[in-house]
Amino acid sequence: MKRIGLIALAALALTACDKGDTFTVKGTIEGAKDKTLCLQNKTLRGAVILDSVKLGEDGHFEFQAKAPATPDFYQLTLDGQSINFSIDSTETVSITARQPGMGSNYEVSGSDNCEKIRQLALKQQALQQNVQTLINSSSLSRGEMADSLNRMVAHFKEDVAFNYIYQSPASTYAYYALFLTLGGQNIYDRQNANDLKAFAAVATSWDTFYPESDRAKHLHNTAIKGLTDNRIATAREQQMAFDESKVVNTGVLNLELADAKGHTHTLTELKGQVVLLDFHVFSTKESAARILQLRELYNKYHAQGLEIYQVSLDADEHLWKQATQALPWICVYDPNGASAVRYNVQTIPEYFLIDRDNTLQKRSSQIDDLEKAIKGYL
């Protein structure tokens, strides 16, 4: 009897562990008899089907799936309609919907995050309907229509930012809000300085609470890319001029930027060496692999005359200083992105090759094999 009791306890423990590793979403979809309802995980790489069920007369369904290690997004789909929701861990979410149009005709319970996502989905649908009504209006001129559309979207963004994103930036509904779309385009634009503040707020919170999650890293990189692009765009708008005579005389657009110790380095002082001019952002996930590649090139060819002049466009100067402490080449910091404007940098990373005469020869798009190109100029 004692042995049987131990076996029973072990079985119960295993069952509890199994149950503890799952979440449940259940409910009913009225008016959907014989229709197939699917549960999907909305990953950063696309939707993944986890389970499906053919609905009966009462429309009841219940799905169980492995709980995510960090908050993630899911959806129920049926006949082209979808209901989005999030799962934090091992919770149970109940959804009651009606067909047709279940994507806008449903209730949810068991999760405040899911309820807020429902509210956001309905706001998004209302915005789409209002925009379509505006477009169909024949009484407005093109200019009046554009002004009305801009006011409509601005009001929507202000409402969502104030009442959802900034209310709880670490929540899944704040994350969800950032990626709402209108006509296939993101409503919140990371190129927009005000919108970027919302991205930064959510990214900072997710970095704090879920630092190892793919979504936190995605948000972080999105915010950093937006900050970098904004700084470059601002510098371009200021139309920062350069002395064209220097281009004629030296064959290169000269840069004068300081390293972490405050020492100024120019490109023209490197005449006599082959220079790899590299524009970089250390806070991106691609940075480590790029630095390893540059280390290999530097170690092999520095003694033969290769120098690397690396310009950081990071928004975080402290992070740049920490990241470049052990790097042997010239690492400088551009606080406003002006150097990137002068070299028409559109993407990061970007690099250029300058020969021993201090003449700019090629940019990355013209180089198939970087090592081979460097050896050719050495």
Side-chain angles (χ1 to χ4, degrees), residues 163-176:
N163 293 304
Y164 293 88
I165 295 175
Y166 293 124
Q167 284 286 334
S168 181
S171 66
T172 52
Y173 63 80
Y175 184 111
Y176 178 83

Side-chain angles (χ1 to χ4, degrees), residues 44-45 70 175 210 212-219:
L44 290 172
R45 291 164 291 279
T70 55
Y175 184 111
Y210 316 109
E212 299 305 316
S213 75
D214 288 344
R215 291 193 179 276
K217 294 173 183 177
H218 172 249
L219 269 177

Side-chain angles (χ1 to χ4, degrees), residues 280-328:
H280 192 80
V281 176
F282 285 90
S283 53
T284 62
K285 64 180 181 180
E286 298 87 1
S287 174
R290 176 68 175 157
I291 294 301
L292 285 175
Q293 180 191 22
L294 293 182
R295 273 189 178 275
E296 183 177 350
L297 291 170
Y298 188 86
N299 291 340
K300 289 175 69 173
Y301 300 109
H302 178 61
Q304 299 178 42
L306 172 68
E307 185 55 81
I308 298 175
Y309 188 100
Q310 188 168 53
V311 181
S312 166
L313 299 174
D314 287 87
D316 188 338
E317 184 176 358
H318 177 72
L319 182 149
W320 161 70
K321 288 182 177 179
Q322 294 296 315
T324 57
Q325 282 183 348
L327 298 183

Side-chain angles (χ1 to χ4, degrees), residues 117-267:
I117 288 174
R118 184 188 75 86
Q119 294 172 15
L120 287 166
L122 295 181
K123 285 178 177 291
Q124 177 192 28
Q125 293 166 21
L127 176 64
Q128 290 173 333
Q129 292 172 0
N130 290 337
V131 168
Q132 191 59 53
T133 300
L134 180 66
I135 292 173
N136 293 338
S137 174
S138 58
S139 61
L140 297 177
S141 67
R142 180 173 296 182
E144 291 172 333
M145 186 176 295
D147 288 342
S148 297
L149 177 60
N150 288 335
R151 286 195 298 270
M152 195 179 294
V153 173
H155 176 74
F156 175 90
K157 289 164 68 171
E158 182 180 358
D159 171 31
V160 171
F162 181 79
N163 293 304
Y164 293 88
I165 295 175
Y166 293 124
Q167 284 286 334
S168 181
S171 66
T172 52
Y173 63 80
Y175 184 111
Y176 178 83
L178 289 177
F179 297 98
L180 292 171
T181 60
L182 176 65
Q185 300 293 320
N186 285 344
I187 295 174
Y188 284 92
D189 181 7
R190 69 184 184 193
Q191 307 295 330
N192 180 290
N194 285 329
D195 292 357
L196 188 55
K197 294 176 183 177
F199 277 99
V202 179
T204 300
S205 294
W206 278 63
D207 269 345
T208 301
F209 291 99
Y210 316 109
E212 299 305 316
S213 75
D214 288 344
R215 291 193 179 276
K217 294 173 183 177
H218 172 249
L219 269 177
H220 178 90
N221 290 334
T222 298
I224 290 298
K225 181 66 165 57
L227 285 168
T228 302
D229 290 347
N230 265 268
R231 290 170 65 235
I232 292 174
T234 299
R236 183 173 283 115
E237 289 171 2
Q238 292 171 350
Q239 296 181 343
M240 302 187 71
F242 58 87
D243 187 347
E244 294 186 3
S245 64
K246 291 184 179 180
V247 180
V248 176
N249 295 333
T250 68
V252 68
L253 296 175
N254 194 27
L255 298 180
E256 298 182 14
L257 297 167
D259 61 21
K261 296 181 179 179
H263 300 148
T264 298
H265 298 269
T266 67
L267 281 176

Side-chain angles (χ1 to χ4, degrees), residues 18-50:
D18 289 342
K19 187 175 181 180
D21 289 336
T22 63
F23 71 87
T24 301
V25 55
K26 62 181 181 179
T28 57
I29 310 293
E30 297 178 10
K33 180 183 177 182
D34 296 332
K35 300 288 186 178
T36 298
L37 181 70
C38 292
L39 171 66
Q40 298 180 345
N41 180 198
K42 296 183 68 176
T43 74
L44 290 172
R45 291 164 291 279
V48 177
I49 296 177
L50 301 180

